[in-house]
Amino acid sequence: MALHSLHMAENQTPYRYTAALAGDIETRWQAEWDRLGVYEVSDPEPTADRSSLPPKFYCLDMFPYPSGAGLHVGHPEGYTATDIICRFKRMKGFNVLHPMGWDAFGLPAEQYAIQTGVHPAVTTSKAIENFRRQLKRFGFSYDWSREFGTIDPDYYKWTQWIFLQIYDAWYDTEQNRARPIAELVEAFENDERRVTLNPFAAEYAGAGDLPGGTHAGPWATLDEETRRAIVDSYRLAYISLQTVNWCPKLGTALANEEVIDGKSERGGYPVFRKPLRQWMFRITAYADRLLEGLETVDWPQSTKTQQSEWIGRSEGAEIDFPLLDATGHKTGETLRVFTTRPDTIFGATYMVVAPEHPLVDEAISAEAGDTAALREYVAAARNRSDVERQESKEKTGVFTGVMAHNPVTNEPIPVWTADYVLMGYGTGAIMAVPAQDERDWDFAKAFDLPIVRTVQTPTDWPEDKAFTGEGSAINSGFIDGLGVADAKQRMIEYLEDTHHGQRKINFKLRDWLFSRQRYWGEPFPIVFDEKGHHHAVGEQTLPITLPEMADYQPIESDDPQPLLAKATDWLHTTAGEAGVADLPPDAKVTREANTMPGWAGSCWYHLRYCDPKNGERMVGEGPESYWMRGGVDLYVGGAEHAVLHLLYARFWHKVLFDLGHVSTDEPFGKLFHQGLILSHAYQRADRSLVPVDEVENKGTDENPEHIETATGESVTQIVAKMSKSLKNVVNPDDVIAEFGADTFRLYEMYMGPLEQSKPWNTRDIQGMYRFLQRVWCLCVDEATGELRVRAEADADIEKRLHRTVDKVASDIERLAFNTAIAAMIELVNAGTKLAEKDGAGLTASQMDRLARILAPFAPHMGEELWSRLGRFESEGSIARAEWPEVDPAMLKDDQVEIPVQIKGKVKARIMAPADADAKALEVLALQDETVRSLIEGQTIRKVIAVPGRMVNIVAG
RNA sequence: GCCGGAGUGGCGGAAUUGGCAGACGCGGUGGAUUCAAAAUCCACUUGGGUAAAACCAGUGCGGGUUCGAGUCCCGCCUCCGGCACCA
């Protein structure tokens, strides 16, 4: 019986917009779009006149790492947003480049391989298949003909090629750009450039080379080893024995940026400091340009701030403090410090060096102070992990026994070592000015060191606190009375005149650790000869592909080994085979066994999309200069990439720009971060979290009482990240099966502003489903499938339609999809009401326009209506239709309702001509019955009338 | 601690430039339809107040500027994100 009546109902409305019908429409059109290549975009024909090229819009999503778990609901949020904009821009006549691909090298596939022995390529390609299937099911308008993955040899061939470009480049600080290394050698040979180690080379920091450099002598007189060392010190990619962040659990070293609170960013595993021979990128050479470039791009302010703080430029001075011997005489040696407050040097009552500072070792060997205590302290500091350092900021330290000479007070001051001074920043040594620095204050108090105030404190300043603010210099000799800024200038001039120091700019940014000890990454295009010298492989041998491995288990060792070291056949080759020109062909060479980090592939994928099939170049000049003009026009992705990916990609791009391979200095013109899609979970009184399936609501929806089933304790509902453990993960496939892709897209866009993080509420999806049902029902007879066309346009609907077209367009431009959808809902609701009354609400022309403005949001519904209107047959896909025209006259009303306030509160409403001026509005308002009765007997003090807005009468 | 961002009905949110607070959706209540239910459609839905209105209060809290403040200014509170011994 029940089954029978169900069939009856279905048969009465066979064309009802159900999930089944939606699924049918959607998959049908997806196949058709694929077949016709509707979203494929071709590069413009080369032309001399660039202004005649069609306007372009390059819209890029941060490509996903294809995990085995498939898409989660966070992925489609940004992808739907860009899809809407791309579809809109196409309708507005833009040539739209909207590509998709895969960031497919990385740890999860390799860790899976360690456990199962399945090759990462197998796992990854399966995951890519699944991701592609899922993305296609959303109807995104990607140009799939441009798809690639970072693991494709055709792609990583060029990743390796770019590495070689960087390796073969140096940074010319005079021209402020990178240049080929050959030009440096040439300049040395021709004696056009002083032959020195690169004074900015971080790997030689502390070597004591002065800016300007120590002259090594004429190039011709130098031996091969020295020449090599000098050239290498300039390369933008170099090898350095570095204390790195070694993560045993991941079996690899990590970049500073990948370590958070002493744990790995990925996985949260402990990280230890360990010296390793590593490839580094001299990103610090670009510190200033990376900073300046931020001012030229349209990026979220918070991201620009994060990057600029990461780069951390600070201006100050380097000062040399002469060291004293036991008798108080100058030894001739100096201790160099960096300070941002040279004005406070009169208050420098002691100095501190990092425990790793060479002076400490010297003090130990010279037995100047308490050697045992020093040794112990240095050992303890070395073992003290970053986590422990975070935990306690209690000041510890030991006197080194070394005394220095304050060059302005001419007083002897002690040199201490303490771990609150970091070896990696500045010179690893400071002049301590306790009165003007809180850390120095704490240290001075802990060890009873003298404190001299050199900046006048405000009258109410406590006695027991450092003062870091603005004030006049005191106890400071020749700079007394000057403000901080003037005092700094004056002091730097003095130091320069007396050769005690010079102006200096320091950055927090460190060179970028670029090698990893894993398998599943790009191999370096580098081999080592028998002397251990590195050589670039010949370009013609690229790509250097990964060898097959018997197993992926990391080599367990205290001395960490890269995994590829196990692939001995691959590892050992000859110079001839590797294409190394400057060695005899039969010379034995060993391949670099480290691999590149996951960031490598994502540093330049935005370029490859412009010309993904090019076998001759990483990107052709024509496509690159067309699509990349002004940078990517819109780049959308998560804010978690604010420093890592976005900084690295900018660095690569700038190097490529300097070397003439790309035409723009900045890769991403406009950047936008979508918010996170969150979910719900519950929290106990002790703030621990409870999975959603372990809680019941014993109250009502309005007055919920959430009770943990197991304990009967009351818990509070909170917004939390989706996670397996909280059982609150939503699977997009399920949602599409239940409602269709169009509903899913609308729901995610309707949740709220794109940039905001917002909780997923499965219940709310219903609203968008109903909306699409109403659209369908307004246009299509559910019983017959015929269009419900109205003969004569309703004037009100026509006016609303124009306004909606206008609002949706401007809302899309400002990425406010939620309000655009709200406007369409209002239009459709009005149409539905009219249809209830008259049998049909829209004319064919109105339906057509509704379909077109809806199409960017719900492309399948749009295309289906478009097709039913006969337009697909004659004109092709709605994707290539024009955005509807707006008649400006339709946006204006003759009469408008104007609220009338009395003393700021709305008391009445009057109808007034839309163009009524202030005077006319005032007259009309004062004529109004309600207004007159309310102000009766009162004096009108003032009337403010804003044409088209409101009238405010101040009376009393 | 420092630097960002945000706090609006039961919930997600709207108010784009200082000008009608709460658009639109969810949920809820009532109704239509149905033997019934689901689905759908219609009406109402910030709180207090009232038979209904009037009226009063109201955008985290306390002040201020203004004819008028969610929006601007000052001082707090809370939450989220980032940085954190960087001299």
Side-chain angles (χ1 to χ4, degrees):
Chain A
M1 269 295 280
L3 200 68
H4 177 70
S5 56
L6 195 69
H7 277 163
M8 286 289 289
E10 257 179 27
N11 290 341
Q12 278 162 21
T13 57
Y15 295 94
R16 181 159 183 72
Y17 187 78
T18 58
L21 182 65
D24 180 59
I25 291 171
E26 288 169 2
T27 48
R28 187 154 41 80
W29 282 118
Q30 284 157 14
E32 187 69 0
W33 294 335
D34 249 4
R35 194 176 66 79
L36 297 173
V38 168
Y39 305 115
E40 286 175 23
V41 62
S42 48
D43 305 323
E45 291 300 316
T47 163
D49 179 15
R50 199 177 257 187
S51 63
S52 69
L53 294 173
K56 65 97 184 182
F57 188 74
Y58 183 1
C59 183
L60 183 63
D61 291 298
M62 286 186 188
F63 63 171
Y65 174 81
S67 78
L71 285 184
H72 57 78
V73 292
H75 286 115
E77 190 195 15
Y79 299 163
T80 304
T82 52
D83 193 58
I84 291 167
I85 293 168
C86 287
R87 288 175 179 277
F88 174 71
K89 289 282 183 185
R90 275 188 209 103
M91 295 175 85
K92 282 286 200 179
F94 285 82
N95 217 7
V96 172
L97 177 58
H98 188 39
M100 180 46 78
W102 319 107
D103 186 16
F105 276 126
L107 283 175
E110 184 167 350
Q111 275 167 334
Y112 185 77
I114 292 170
Q115 286 159 23
T116 63
V118 178
H119 195 284
V122 174
T123 325
T124 308
S125 83
K126 227 182 239 169
I128 288 174
E129 291 294 321
N130 189 38
F131 261 63
R132 190 190 301 109
R133 174 191 65 77
Q134 287 187 301
L135 287 179
K136 288 202 170 187
R137 188 60 189 82
F138 279 98
F140 295 137
S141 61
Y142 293 117
D143 177 353
W144 287 105
S145 73
R146 291 174 184 257
E147 173 195 354
F148 59 79
T150 53
I151 53 170
D152 299 348
D154 280 352
Y155 179 78
Y156 73 71
K157 167 182 178 176
W158 297 106
T159 309
Q160 292 170 337
W161 180 84
I162 295 168
F163 176 86
L164 290 181
Q165 299 304 305
I166 301 173
Y167 171 82
D168 273 327
W170 61 293
Y171 200 83
D172 183 340
T173 51
E174 273 150 41
Q175 293 188 13
N176 211 15
R177 66 182 182 96
R179 296 171 61 190
I181 207 90
E183 294 179 15
L184 176 72
V185 175
E186 203 178 318
F188 284 148
E189 281 168 353
N190 301 340
D191 212 16
E192 287 160 7
R193 190 180 176 88
R194 212 175 150 78
V195 180
T196 68
L197 281 179
N198 177 4
F200 300 99
E203 67 273 30
Y204 290 107
D209 210 353
L210 294 162
T214 309
H215 195 246
W219 188 250
T221 65
L222 300 180
D223 61 51
E224 184 53 31
E225 291 293 317
T226 311
R227 286 180 182 180
R228 196 171 257 287
I230 288 170
V231 169
D232 286 351
S233 78
Y234 284 87
R235 290 184 190 276
L236 290 180
Y238 64 94
I239 284 185
S240 165
L241 185 70
Q242 285 276 124
T243 301
V244 300
N245 306 296
W246 174 252
C247 180
K249 187 81 186 169
L250 295 176
T252 185
L254 298 169
N256 292 324
E257 294 88 329
E258 293 172 298
V259 181
I260 293 164
D261 291 340
K263 294 195 175 111
S264 64
E265 192 220 9
R266 186 182 272 272
Y269 304 119
V271 169
F272 300 92
R273 304 184 68 75
K274 208 167 184 53
L276 265 185
R277 191 193 54 92
Q278 297 289 305
W279 281 99
M280 305 292 293
F281 276 139
R282 215 176 291 287
I283 190 173
T284 49
Y286 279 84
D288 260 324
R289 279 178 54 197
L290 289 167
L291 208 50
E292 287 158 13
L294 290 174
E295 283 159 33
T296 69
V297 292
D298 181 3
W299 284 22
Q301 189 52 51
S302 61
T303 301
K304 291 206 239 181
T305 306
Q306 272 184 59
Q307 283 212 1
S308 79
E309 283 177 1
W310 187 265
I311 295 166
R313 184 181 201 273
S314 61
E315 291 183 24
E318 276 188 349
I319 307 174
D320 288 329
F321 282 64
L323 295 177
L324 304 177
D325 61 22
T327 60
H329 292 97
K330 291 181 184 170
T331 62
E333 284 178 67
T334 58
L335 177 57
R336 182 173 291 181
V337 302
F338 173 72
T339 178
T340 55
R341 293 295 301 276
D343 59 305
T344 62
I345 186 170
F346 280 92
T349 51
Y350 65 101
M351 301 182 79
V352 187
V353 298
E356 301 88 350
H357 196 281
L359 183 138
V360 178
D361 286 338
E362 285 164 28
I364 289 172
S365 19
E367 303 196 350
D370 185 342
T371 307
L374 265 181
R375 273 188 211 284
E376 194 185 325
Y377 186 75
V378 171
R382 192 164 294 149
N383 291 336
R384 202 170 168 209
S385 70
D386 284 356
V387 184
E388 286 167 320
R389 279 202 181 195
Q390 308 284 341
E391 276 166 5
S392 163
K393 289 192 179 169
E394 285 296 305
K395 295 288 177 288
T396 58
V398 178
F399 176 46
T400 60
V402 177
M403 295 298 287
H405 173 87
N406 183 324
V408 300
T409 62
N410 289 318
E411 295 288 330
I413 55 174
V415 180
W416 286 63
T417 183
D419 67 1
Y420 84 93
V421 172
L422 310 172
M423 193 58 218
Y425 184 76
T427 61
I430 61 159
M431 63 176 207
V433 186
Q436 270 77 235
D437 186 287
E438 281 159 16
R439 298 153 300 181
D440 295 345
W441 179 281
D442 293 345
F443 192 81
K445 283 288 168 196
F447 294 98
D448 207 20
L449 292 157
I451 296 171
V452 179
R453 290 209 189 263
T454 63
V455 177
Q456 185 61 56
T457 54
T459 45
D460 56 346
W461 194 258
E463 275 292 303
D464 57 346
K465 213 175 155 208
F467 175 64
T468 57
E470 179 64 43
S472 299
I474 52 170
N475 302 323
S476 294
F478 62 94
I479 57 165
D480 271 353
L482 296 180
V484 170
D486 291 340
K488 278 186 192 175
Q489 290 311 313
R490 184 71 195 83
M491 182 55 71
I492 290 172
E493 283 162 23
Y494 172 82
L495 292 168
E496 286 182 341
D497 289 346
T498 56
H499 302 287
H500 280 112
Q502 64 267 313
R503 194 177 302 278
K504 169 84 183 178
I505 293 161
N506 248 324
F507 295 92
K508 278 196 233 175
L509 183 72
R510 307 293 152 75
D511 278 344
W512 172 16
L513 171 75
F514 192 68
S515 38
R516 299 291 183 275
Q517 291 70 51
R518 305 309 301 257
Y519 171 75
W520 195 227
E522 298 88 345
F524 282 78
I526 293 285
V527 293
F528 295 90
D529 62 25
E530 288 181 307
K531 286 184 198 152
H533 294 142
H534 44 79
H535 300 266
V537 305
E539 277 183 28
Q540 71 282 2
T541 67
L542 299 181
I544 308 301
T545 52
L546 286 166
E548 294 290 325
M549 301 284 286
D551 75 279
Y552 303 90
Q553 208 64 41
I555 304 165
E556 292 217 17
S557 163
D558 277 348
D559 176 28
Q561 293 285 316
L563 197 69
L564 285 178
K566 283 164 99 175
T568 45
D569 288 352
W570 176 86
L571 201 64
H572 300 291
T573 179
T574 62
E577 240 176 294
V580 178
D582 55 355
L583 288 175
D586 58 349
K588 285 185 181 164
V589 294
T590 310
R591 293 191 186 280
E592 171 58 78
N594 284 296
T595 52
M596 300 188 198
W599 309 109
S602 59
C603 275
W604 74 284
Y605 74 120
H606 56 282
L607 293 170
R608 188 64 178 173
Y609 283 134
C610 298
D611 193 13
K613 303 278 192 286
N614 197 322
E616 305 298 312
R617 301 168 60 103
M618 67 162 190
V619 57
E621 207 174 327
E624 191 279 332
S625 65
Y626 175 68
W627 292 117
M628 284 302 291
R629 188 166 200 193
V632 171
D633 297 282
L634 180 65
Y635 190 31
V636 176
E640 67 274 19
H641 295 112
V643 249
L644 300 162
H645 158 63
L646 287 165
L647 188 67
Y648 298 153
R650 291 178 65 217
F651 166 60
W652 277 42
H653 199 88
K654 282 177 188 296
V655 178
L656 291 171
F657 172 70
D658 287 353
L659 297 178
H661 300 303
V662 299
S663 58
T664 57
D665 183 41
E666 283 287 340
F668 312 120
K670 180 170 179 165
L671 172 71
F672 195 91
H673 300 304
Q674 83 278 14
L676 295 175
I677 303 273
L678 302 169
S679 195
H680 289 290
Y682 298 89
Q683 194 172 46
R684 300 190 188 95
D686 65 0
R687 302 198 113 202
S688 58
L689 299 179
V690 188
V692 286
D693 63 344
E694 292 172 24
V695 172
E696 282 178 87
N697 183 7
K698 299 232 164 115
T700 59
D701 274 334
E702 217 157 307
N703 277 312
E705 262 181 76
H706 301 292
I707 305 293
E708 186 177 356
T709 319
T711 60
E713 292 292 311
S714 175
V715 290
T716 22
Q717 191 180 45
I718 55 149
V719 170
K721 281 190 184 168
M722 285 191 187
S723 74
K724 276 184 203 157
S725 61
L726 293 174
K727 309 260 174 65
N728 59 4
V729 178
V730 177
N731 179 346
D733 288 342
D734 297 345
V735 179
I736 289 179
E738 198 175 343
F739 298 100
D742 278 344
T743 296
F744 189 113
R745 294 168 54 116
L746 279 172
Y747 171 61
E748 284 211 348
M749 292 302 99
Y750 193 68
M751 288 172 79
L754 187 62
E755 68 275 20
Q756 226 167 74
S757 291
K758 34 209 179 255
W760 178 278
N761 258 317
T762 300
R763 200 167 71 178
D764 293 351
I765 302 170
Q766 200 61 242
M768 291 302 104
Y769 186 52
R770 286 182 195 147
F771 165 57
L772 286 180
Q773 284 184 324
R774 281 200 296 276
V775 172
W776 181 256
C777 185
L778 175 59
C779 300
V780 179
D781 189 300
E782 295 186 335
T784 64
E786 297 292 311
L787 289 176
R788 298 172 72 191
V789 180
R790 188 184 170 92
E792 288 275 327
D794 178 83
D796 176 57
I797 294 288
E798 183 63 21
K799 196 195 263 176
R800 281 172 183 270
L801 182 55
H802 279 269
R803 290 169 186 215
T804 308
V805 171
D806 187 58
K807 178 161 175 60
V808 170
S810 60
D811 280 357
I812 290 176
E813 295 274 13
R814 65 186 185 97
L815 310 183
F817 306 114
N818 51 338
T819 51
I821 295 167
M824 289 190 284
I825 294 173
E826 286 187 77
L827 172 69
V828 169
N829 286 352
T832 301
K833 196 168 264 184
L834 187 67
E836 293 278 315
K837 187 160 71 82
D838 295 355
L842 304 181
T843 63
S845 148
Q846 289 174 330
M847 255 179 229
D848 167 321
R849 281 173 285 162
L850 172 62
R852 278 186 276 162
I853 61 169
L854 183 64
F857 300 83
H860 312 91
M861 171 77 84
E863 191 81 280
E864 180 68 16
L865 294 175
W866 180 253
S867 156
R868 282 171 185 262
L869 284 158
R871 306 290 299 273
F872 186 90
E873 218 168 48
S874 55
E875 293 161 59
S877 172
I878 197 167
R880 300 285 165 186
E882 269 177 45
W883 188 257
E885 293 276 340
V886 176
D887 177 0
M890 290 294 223
L891 304 181
K892 281 192 249 143
D893 285 309
D894 298 341
Q895 290 274 311
V896 288
E897 193 187 72
I898 300 286
V900 181
Q901 300 178 342
I902 293 174
K903 287 196 285 185
K905 294 197 172 171
V906 181
K907 294 289 180 180
R909 287 161 209 285
I910 55 170
M911 291 307 292
D915 55 358
D917 63 13
K919 194 67 213 164
L921 282 181
E922 182 179 334
V923 171
L924 279 168
L926 292 172
Q927 280 170 359
D928 183 79
E929 283 294 325
T930 326
V931 173
R932 281 168 68 167
S933 68
L934 282 164
I935 58 171
E936 179 141 34
Q938 299 184 29
T939 320
I940 297 169
R941 298 187 198 280
K942 199 172 177 182
V943 178
I944 298 103
V946 183
R949 287 283 191 183
M950 45 66 71
V951 179
N952 188 9
I953 299 165
V954 188

